[in-house]
Amino acid sequence: MDKLTHFFEKHAKIFKVIVPVFLILLYIGLCALNINSSTWFDESYSAYLIRGNFFDIWSMTSIDVHPPLFYFLLKLWSFIAGTSLVALRSMSVFFGVVSIILLFRLLCRHFNLTAAIIGSFFFTLSPMFIRYGQEMRMYTVVIALVIAATDVMLCALDTKDPKKSRHLWFLYAVLIALGMWTHYFTALAWIAQLVYILYRQGVFTKDGLKKLWQDKPRRNLMLQTYGLAVACYIPWTPFFLKQSASVQGGFWIGPVNLEALANFFSESLLYVAPRELKDWLLPLTITLLVLIIFLSLKVFHRIDQQHRKKLLAVLALIFIPPITLVILSLPPLSPVYMTRYMIFSLALIWAFCGIIIAFALTGSHEHKPALVAMGLLAICAIIGVVNVTNREPNGYVGYTVQDVMSIAKPGEPLLMDSVWNYYDGVVYDSAEHPVAFYRDWSEYEYGSLEPVREYHHNLFDNLDEWLSEHDSFWVFYNNDKDINEELLKHHKINQTISNDRYNVYHLVKK
């Protein structure tokens, strides 16, 4: 296997071009498998929010639970790519591609080309990384920022040039701020990196903190770095403090239990819940984890100190975020543990496995277990990609809307029974089939519904007036609800479409 490493290094210039191009095409192809699937509320919110201008976006996000940078980027992206579902989702694919390029560059710079090839390959196959490359949400942007910040941090810690070090630390500060402008839980990565920085600065040794404080240049540089990060974030700080209460114990966040903790690995490796690890999936997962732990111990014992330090940086990003979220979810605090908030940790597990396998393949006694680990990881990747591709059952609003639009007459509107269905359905709104909503059918309890009020797209307040204007229309109901009798005063049911989630009625005037 040393010959393989020598071969890679001998043709490094070629592989540094061919491998990223291959991985980019592979990632785009895997994301394309399910990029046109039905949208869901968080994505629908993203698409609906950017109907406004940048001031509207700032205003709306200030009363929601996420900061505005991702929505600003999505608005800019829409000017270039358009506002269709696939066009908006393609921005996440783009930042996924950026993440792959940044990771390959990081691994080449701080490890070696073999680690870069194998680590980036498995990173590209990470089910959660592919999953959120198919959504118009901020997670691949977060991954790109975390990887970029990690590279800059490691370079800043390694450089001996004071001027270059200062520039790198200030760039790191800007990346920290951008991460917080994108998603609050990016702070988990910065916490992990701060622990690692303190470790590299010797703070955890005897009198380490005292020595750092007495070293004026190092102390001031650290204070200036984090001071700049805070300064860049000051404009959004009041909204962040206001929103913190909303995120703490949000209705979408479940309690932390053993299943939630096990989900960190099962979802990362196979994109399944722990309870779905049946038959041979459980021994597959356990065997892979045991092998990776075994190889990690062997590799850590054998490699040089510099590489060992860099591996610790990756491990910090993998394990410190979930540990932090568990601590923050303990009573009397409300739960904040959710796997997608640690998306960079879930994706970097795959990169770490690839790095370990690469080093093990160049060891003297670790070839066979490394090859077995590589094979098992490849099997997990295939299963995970299949699970991601088949993740969504038929019956989501998007599928139902598309089915109805394929048979509806031109000009027939689609009326939604709830603001939630309206949000999801309006993504498919068209001039021929406008998606409408009777505002009085919903109570606006959450800040995420403010754009509906503000933009008022195809909303109406007078039901009788709206019904008099339409001879025929389609109305969507969750299948646990009965049709509103008011709709049947002057219209009758002409056709019904039912599935696992919805009953859709075609109403025509009597």
Side-chain angles (χ1 to χ4, degrees):
M1 292 300 173
D2 289 332
K3 291 181 180 179
L4 179 63
T5 302
H6 177 70
F7 177 74
F8 284 149
E9 296 297 341
K10 183 179 178 180
H11 302 283
K13 288 185 178 179
I14 297 174
F15 281 107
K16 285 182 179 180
V17 175
I18 291 176
V19 172
V21 170
F22 169 74
L23 295 179
I24 288 167
L25 294 176
L26 176 63
Y27 184 71
I28 292 172
L30 292 173
C31 287
L33 292 175
N34 208 24
I35 201 167
N36 200 32
S37 61
S38 181
T39 187
W40 67 294
F41 177 78
D42 283 13
E43 287 190 282
S44 303
Y45 174 80
S46 301
Y48 198 89
L49 183 63
I50 64 168
R51 288 173 179 268
N53 56 38
F54 290 100
F55 177 79
D56 293 329
I57 293 171
W58 177 286
S59 176
M60 301 296 169
T61 51
S62 71
I63 56 174
D64 190 35
V65 293
H66 293 302
L69 180 58
F70 166 76
Y71 303 110
F72 288 159
L73 293 173
L74 191 62
K75 179 71 176 179
L76 292 171
W77 185 266
S78 71
F79 294 148
I80 302 168
T83 57
S84 70
L85 182 62
V86 172
L88 293 177
R89 281 175 169 169
S90 66
M91 190 180 88
S92 292
V93 180
F94 171 77
F95 278 101
V97 166
V98 171
S99 301
I100 292 168
I101 295 170
L102 291 172
L103 181 74
F104 186 82
R105 183 166 174 257
L106 182 153
L107 297 182
C108 281
R109 175 180 288 164
H110 300 287
F111 296 97
N112 56 48
L113 184 56
T114 307
I117 292 171
I118 300 176
S120 298
F121 174 71
F122 283 115
F123 173 82
T124 302
L125 295 179
S126 166
M128 288 292 280
F129 182 43
I130 296 166
R131 164 76 173 86
Y132 286 100
Q134 300 170 338
E135 280 201 1
M136 61 178 104
R137 295 297 286 165
M138 64 283 294
Y139 299 107
T140 58
V141 181
V142 168
I143 293 172
L145 287 170
V146 170
I147 293 172
T150 304
D151 191 10
V152 171
M153 175 194 71
L154 291 174
C155 289
L157 288 167
D158 289 345
T159 186
K160 303 299 181 184
D161 183 344
K163 185 177 180 180
K164 184 179 179 181
S165 175
R166 181 176 295 275
H167 290 161
L168 287 169
W169 281 119
F170 285 1
L171 175 58
Y172 177 73
V174 172
L175 291 169
I176 287 178
L178 289 175
M180 289 296 292
W181 278 94
T182 305
H183 193 278
Y184 296 135
F185 283 83
T186 313
L188 296 169
W190 313 143
I191 292 169
Q193 290 179 344
L194 177 59
V195 172
Y196 178 76
I197 290 167
L198 294 175
Y199 155 75
R200 287 287 299 270
Q201 298 282 11
V203 168
F204 301 123
T205 60
K206 186 178 179 180
D207 297 326
L209 183 59
K210 182 179 179 181
K211 290 176 182 177
L212 174 62
W213 188 255
Q214 290 175 344
D215 187 337
K216 190 174 180 181
R218 281 200 303 157
R219 179 194 69 196
N220 288 346
L221 188 56
M222 289 297 97
L223 292 175
Q224 289 166 6
T225 297
Y226 286 95
L228 177 60
V230 171
C232 290
Y233 198 64
I234 283 176
W236 192 254
T237 301
F239 306 111
F240 164 71
L241 296 174
K242 178 183 174 184
Q243 291 175 358
S244 296
S246 299
V247 177
Q248 265 280 344
F251 64 88
W252 62 94
I253 302 177
V256 177
N257 50 36
L258 289 177
E259 182 176 358
L261 298 177
N263 195 54
F264 181 79
F265 290 103
S266 67
E267 196 165 4
S268 173
L269 294 176
L270 298 166
Y271 195 70
V272 295
R275 60 182 176 276
E276 296 172 354
L277 289 174
K278 299 174 182 177
D279 302 324
W280 57 277
L281 289 181
L282 183 58
L284 169 68
T285 307
I286 293 173
T287 303
L288 176 60
L289 291 175
V290 169
L291 260 179
I292 292 298
I293 292 170
F294 168 77
L295 290 173
S296 298
L297 294 173
K298 289 284 187 181
V299 167
F300 266 83
H301 178 72
R302 178 170 53 80
I303 60 176
D304 61 78
Q305 188 178 12
Q306 284 301 312
H307 283 145
R308 194 179 301 128
K309 286 180 179 178
K310 304 298 175 66
L311 273 173
L312 286 174
V314 181
L315 279 176
L317 285 168
I318 292 172
F319 289 109
I320 291 179
I323 291 170
T324 304
L325 277 192
V326 168
I327 293 171
L328 292 176
S329 299
L330 295 175
L333 299 175
S334 300
V336 290
Y337 186 96
M338 186 161 259
T339 51
R340 69 173 181 262
Y341 292 166
M342 302 171 283
I343 185 68
F344 48 87
S345 299
L346 300 172
L348 285 173
I349 287 174
W350 288 75
F352 176 80
C353 290
I355 298 167
I356 291 297
I357 289 170
F359 277 118
L361 287 173
T362 60
S364 56
H365 303 292
E366 300 149 13
H367 296 169
K368 288 183 180 179
L371 289 173
V372 172
M374 183 182 287
L376 294 178
L377 200 58
I379 292 171
C380 286
I382 293 169
I383 296 170
V385 170
V386 170
N387 288 337
V388 167
T389 303
N390 299 325
R391 73 183 187 271
E392 217 171 42
N394 287 332
Y396 277 26
V397 167
Y399 296 132
T400 311
V401 166
Q402 289 171 328
D403 287 344
V404 170
M405 284 186 173
S406 68
I407 61 174
K409 296 176 182 177
E412 286 185 331
L414 279 57
L415 181 61
M416 297 296 167
D417 75 310
S418 71
V419 69
W420 311 108
N421 287 339
Y422 166 75
Y423 247 136
D424 289 345
V426 79
V427 174
Y428 305 91
D429 177 68
S430 68
E432 275 198 343
H433 302 292
V435 176
F437 177 57
Y438 177 37
R439 191 165 65 173
D440 285 355
W441 286 358
S442 176
E443 295 180 6
Y444 297 84
E445 300 175 23
Y446 306 105
S448 55
L449 302 183
E450 185 63 24
V452 175
R453 273 192 297 253
E454 186 68 23
Y455 299 162
H456 211 269
H457 180 75
N458 290 343
L459 264 65
F460 58 91
D461 300 308
N462 191 314
L463 182 59
D464 289 333
E465 184 179 316
W466 190 88
L467 291 173
S468 67
E469 293 172 354
H470 297 91
D471 293 335
S472 62
F473 61 93
W474 298 78
V475 58
F476 285 63
Y477 278 92
N478 287 75
N479 54 20
D480 59 349
K481 286 185 179 180
D482 295 324
I483 190 168
N484 189 334
E485 291 297 325
E486 288 186 64
L487 300 179
L488 301 177
K489 287 181 179 178
H490 306 290
H491 291 73
K492 63 180 181 180
I493 298 174
N494 180 57
Q495 184 179 352
T496 303
I497 297 175
S498 297
N499 55 42
D500 292 341
R501 280 177 189 259
Y502 304 103
N503 291 323
V504 185
Y505 303 97
H506 182 217
L507 298 186
V508 297
K509 277 194 175 178
K510 295 177 180 178

